[in-house]
Amino acid sequence: AQTIHQWPVAEIKAVGSPLSLGCTIKGKSSPNLYWYWQATGGTLQQLFYSITVGQVESVVQLNLSASRPKDDQFILSTEKLLLSHSGFYLCAWSPLGDSQNTLYFGAGTRLSVL
Amino acid sequence: GDSVTQKEGLVTLTEGLPVMLNCTYQTIYSNAFLFWYVHYLNESPRLLLKSSTDNKRTEHQGFHATLHKSSSSFHLQKSSAQLSDSALYYCALRNSGGSNAKLTFGKGTKLSVKS
């Protein structure tokens, strides 16, 4: 069975500090990977997607970056956090070749930037 | 661009009453895929229903929805609400095919079922 693990569960960070959020998917080879973000009171927005190792496409510009160093790993990061980065971050995957792109989500990371 | 509207931010119901969560969408694509995701507290959001067939009812776990392209709607319904249905429900639209297909989500409707 496929499992998706996100870390950390929650973070409280200072403005200007760096951030790294991670996501691993086990039990599925070559999944499509996604980062989603939800500001408080807002809707889920897709930030990045990746269809293969080393290849990441940006969907929304939020002064964040993403990388896929391994087939089963997706990292979201920034060198300098902004207050506007606060919110709920979700990693998701969809099976390779799934034309309907059903998403399977991780448990999420709640980020508070102070 | 594409958009999904869920007018109700919060729906509060008494157990046993019918559930109706509204979802309308806008897209330039004729071949729209619509989804309902449910997010229970302390769990990951997960797929509840999906459809791309016009006027065909799709059902899962007691919930059902019918995609009506003429009215651009995909309302979620259930005949009798249960306490365990309390959760956040997202309607979502897929705007194109392929691996880079982007899901556009509505703001979500929080369903609170009380005894």
Side-chain angles (χ1 to χ4, degrees):
Chain A
Q2 302 84 17
T3 59
I4 177 169
H5 174 59
Q6 264 189 262
W7 74 91
V9 173
E11 278 269 45
I12 299 175
K13 303 279 281 186
V15 171
S17 63
L19 173 77
S20 181
L21 304 181
C23 173
T24 55
I25 294 87
K26 297 297 182 185
K28 195 71 182 178
S29 60
S30 303
N32 301 318
L33 297 177
Y34 309 85
W35 277 109
Y36 277 82
W37 170 71
Q38 182 179 34
T40 302
T43 188
L44 284 167
Q45 294 185 67
Q46 189 183 84
L47 299 178
F48 299 93
Y49 70 89
S50 171
I51 62 173
T52 191
V53 174
Q55 183 180 339
V56 177
E57 298 295 330
S58 174
V59 178
V60 174
Q61 290 296 328
L62 283 181
N63 293 311
L64 295 168
S65 60
S67 63
R68 188 171 178 176
K70 301 178 185 177
D71 186 54
D72 63 354
Q73 194 173 75
F74 207 20
I75 307 295
L76 184 71
S77 61
T78 182
E79 292 187 1
K80 282 189 177 182
L81 278 166
L82 306 173
L83 285 174
S84 57
H85 285 138
S86 292
F88 190 53
Y89 290 82
L90 281 165
C91 179
W93 69 274
S94 67
L96 180 68
D98 177 5
S99 61
Q100 294 181 10
N101 287 99
T102 301
L103 293 180
Y104 300 89
F105 288 94
T109 296
R110 191 159 298 281
L111 174 66
S112 296
V113 183
L114 307 176
Chain B
D2 294 347
S3 66
V4 176
T5 301
Q6 292 180 252
K7 285 187 176 178
E8 310 103 350
L10 172 66
V11 171
T12 303
L13 288 173
T14 301
E15 192 178 16
L17 291 180
V19 178
M20 170 85 153
L21 306 185
N22 288 298
C23 172
T24 56
Y25 64 93
Q26 283 189 314
T27 180
I28 61 172
Y29 296 91
S30 58
N31 194 22
F33 275 91
L34 272 294
F35 303 80
W36 276 101
Y37 281 84
V38 59
H39 192 182
Y40 295 102
L41 190 64
N42 298 323
E43 295 184 13
S44 308
R46 57 182 172 84
L47 181 68
L48 180 60
L49 292 172
K50 61 182 177 182
S51 179
S52 63
T53 306
D54 198 12
N55 297 317
K56 182 179 177 184
R57 174 171 161 147
T58 183
E59 299 188 40
H60 186 62
Q61 294 185 332
F63 287 90
H64 63 92
T66 303
L67 177 59
H68 291 298
K69 294 187 177 182
S70 60
S71 58
S72 298
S73 66
F74 192 54
H75 305 319
L76 183 67
Q77 299 181 69
K78 187 178 184 184
S79 58
S80 176
Q82 297 176 286
L83 294 175
S84 57
D85 293 330
S86 294
L88 185 57
Y89 292 81
Y90 291 102
C91 184
L93 164 71
R94 181 169 73 82
N95 67 349
S96 66
S99 56
N100 60 340
K102 184 167 81 81
L103 280 186
T104 300
F105 283 85
K107 287 193 172 183
T109 298
K110 183 177 179 180
L111 176 64
S112 178
V113 182
K114 302 186 183 304
S115 58

